[in-house]
Amino acid sequence: MVVPAGFPSFPCPSCGGALPATMAAGMRIPCPLCQQTITVPIGGGPTAAAAAQYQAWAMVQGNTAAALADQAAPGAADRVFASTSEGILIDDGRGRLLVIGAQVTQGQGWMLRAIDPSSRQVVWEALHGSHFRTCPTRRSTCALGGRLYTVIDGTLYALEVATGRGLWRVQLGAREAVDVDRAARVGHEMDLYEAETPGAPTTIVVRSENDLLWGLDRDSGQVLWRRTWDDGRTFAGPGVIVLNSHRVVELVRPRDGVTLLRLEGKVDGGRPVAGGVLVEVDEDGDQPAGVKLIDPATGQQRWFVACESVDLDLDPVAVGGQIVAIVNGTRGHQLLRIDAATGATARKGFVARLFGAKGPVLADLPWTKHHVSAMWEVGDALLLDCVSWDGERRLAVLDAATLAVRYDSGTVPRDSTPGVRVRGAQIVVSLRSSGGPHEIRAIDPARGAMLWSRQLRYLDELALRGNSVVMAGGPTIDLADPTTGQDQLHFAP
């Protein structure tokens, strides 16, 4: 190895070859010349101990030091949030949009504040004098039922959205877990939701990254129950929480965490839908494979439909009085449609049964050799996100009653995060070729028409809030009219 003239170096203690003195003294490395393990005698950077000390300081003080240092930069005086904080747009539950972020001042510490995005006026401030090792993020913050929930440095805070009044805080001991699959419908990625028990107050259920599932009183934050949960997804239904792990479906009462029903062995998943819990069961002796709907209050079976290869890994939907679930077929996915009240399905004709055909009639997708990646109900229609066996992706809106195609995107890019957002009968999607700009499309599911589209270079969050489509990229937030795509507001902190 040749070290340039004037460049600091040291001789290898084993072979004597010159090595660049750019590593910390005391490090043990294999010599690139003789491959013998050596201890670096002199270094051009900090020692290992000094590096560890700096890292420990940066973990605790780095966020504050960086934000305070950036405040001295030209033009920083008008920033409403610290440079290390991102703006998080929420709906306050009263028809007003607010941008939530953090700010810090020398000697007074951190605070959380809400800004009116149109006037840039401060609406409220909270948590004065806090020390934030990290600032709140879009993945760690959500608004539900007039409450703001945010996890900062392992602590879950609940505040009144309209006023910022602190309600309670709970030490989770870890960051919040996320559920990106839920984001398309609820508009946020936190694995946190409200769960109801008839005749009892609302329970907040949240999962943390230290493999714990928490049940908290919505009003006081009191820990009602806590359990280890490190596998599968959780879902909230009427009066029940559905826990899914490998070959286990557990129905839990939200208020006290008591297990109402535990199914294990020949089960592959359960989902709350149409007022009950749909559970996939495997063939077991004389019991054929299929799905059954369980009453969460009694644990009793309401009905059973025999059908092989149902896949509840993909959430079923309830639309137009029927439950629609995905079935694995030999030519791609198929749709199983069940009357939600009775469990009735379309049956095969007499001739087909005469020749041994069994089970309900399954509807083919409009395209062969396609798998459904996700499915949602939007008004009286189904929205499908599909991928062909050749890897081509498409989005389609189908009439839920007839399965006629109302909208077909054709082949679209697969690299799209965030992807789909639905609310009521509104659909917005983002599509992106690898490394290219994000294309935002708004789709009318009733007419099957694309309302508008636009391209953005950066996109970190796509959401439907109030009467706006929210497109956030980096520190900036853009709002557009859901129907026309007309710009409503550009916000930069």
Side-chain angles (χ1 to χ4, degrees), residues 137-403:
T137 69
R138 298 181 182 111
R139 302 193 80 179
S140 66
T141 306
C142 70
L144 292 173
R147 302 287 179 88
L148 175 72
Y149 299 100
T150 185
V151 177
I152 308 172
D153 301 333
T155 298
L156 172 63
Y157 296 85
L159 296 86
E160 191 174 75
V161 174
T163 66
R165 180 172 65 94
L167 301 173
W168 47 262
R169 64 182 68 180
V170 173
Q171 290 280 351
L172 302 180
R175 296 189 304 178
E176 75 296 335
V178 298
D179 187 344
V180 296
D181 293 329
R182 185 180 284 132
R185 171 61 68 186
V186 303
H188 65 84
E189 295 186 0
M190 286 185 74
D191 201 348
L192 179 150
Y193 48 88
E194 296 180 338
E196 305 287 346
T197 300
T202 300
T203 301
I204 298 298
V205 179
V206 61
R207 188 163 60 94
S208 52
E209 281 194 343
N210 53 353
D211 297 333
L212 290 177
L213 189 67
W214 303 70
L216 311 172
D217 181 76
R218 180 181 185 272
D219 294 328
S220 67
Q222 176 188 355
V223 178
L224 303 173
W225 52 268
R226 185 177 62 182
R227 60 186 294 164
T228 301
W229 184 248
D230 59 357
D231 186 20
R233 296 176 63 196
T234 67
F235 303 87
V240 68
I241 302 167
V242 184
L243 308 182
N244 289 263
S245 59
H246 181 62
R247 295 291 185 179
V248 175
V249 176
E250 194 167 350
L251 276 56
V252 174
R253 192 161 55 204
R255 194 60 189 171
D256 53 17
V258 170
T259 296
L260 301 172
L261 180 68
R262 180 182 173 89
L263 304 171
E264 55 185 322
K266 295 293 184 176
V267 295
D268 280 337
R271 298 289 189 273
V273 62
V277 179
L278 192 68
V279 177
E280 177 187 350
V281 294
D282 293 340
E283 183 177 356
D284 185 13
D286 294 333
Q287 170 69 54
V291 290
K292 59 183 177 181
L293 191 71
I294 294 175
D295 186 324
T298 65
Q300 297 301 306
Q301 176 180 304
R302 292 182 185 169
W303 46 253
F304 173 79
V305 174
C307 183
E308 295 184 356
S309 303
V310 178
D311 187 356
L312 290 192
D313 285 341
L314 294 160
D315 296 344
V317 300
V319 56
Q322 64 180 350
I323 295 173
V324 183
I326 300 298
V327 176
N328 292 310
T330 58
R331 295 180 299 169
H333 277 163
Q334 296 174 294
L335 302 179
L336 168 65
R337 295 184 290 172
I338 309 169
D339 185 284
T342 66
T345 63
R347 309 303 298 178
K348 292 183 171 67
F350 172 77
V351 174
R353 297 197 306 271
L354 186 65
F355 283 92
K358 298 180 180 180
V361 173
L362 301 176
D364 291 327
L365 296 179
W367 327 272
T368 59
K369 298 183 179 179
H370 274 68
H371 282 155
V372 178
S373 300
M375 175 173 61
W376 305 270
E377 76 282 2
V378 281
D380 65 346
L382 295 172
L383 172 62
L384 304 182
D385 191 341
C386 300
V387 178
S388 75
W389 291 5
D390 295 326
E392 295 181 339
R393 181 189 180 206
R394 72 191 324 124
L395 298 168
V397 176
L398 276 59
D399 184 291
T402 66
L403 299 185

Side-chain angles (χ1 to χ4, degrees), residues 24 71 74 85 110 154 233 242 266 269-270 281 311 346 358 397 416 434 439 450 484:
Q71 288 179 359
S85 174
W110 287 91
R233 296 176 63 196
V242 184
K266 295 293 184 176
V281 294
D311 187 356
K358 298 180 180 180
V397 176
S416 304
S434 181
E439 181 190 358
M450 185 169 68
T484 66

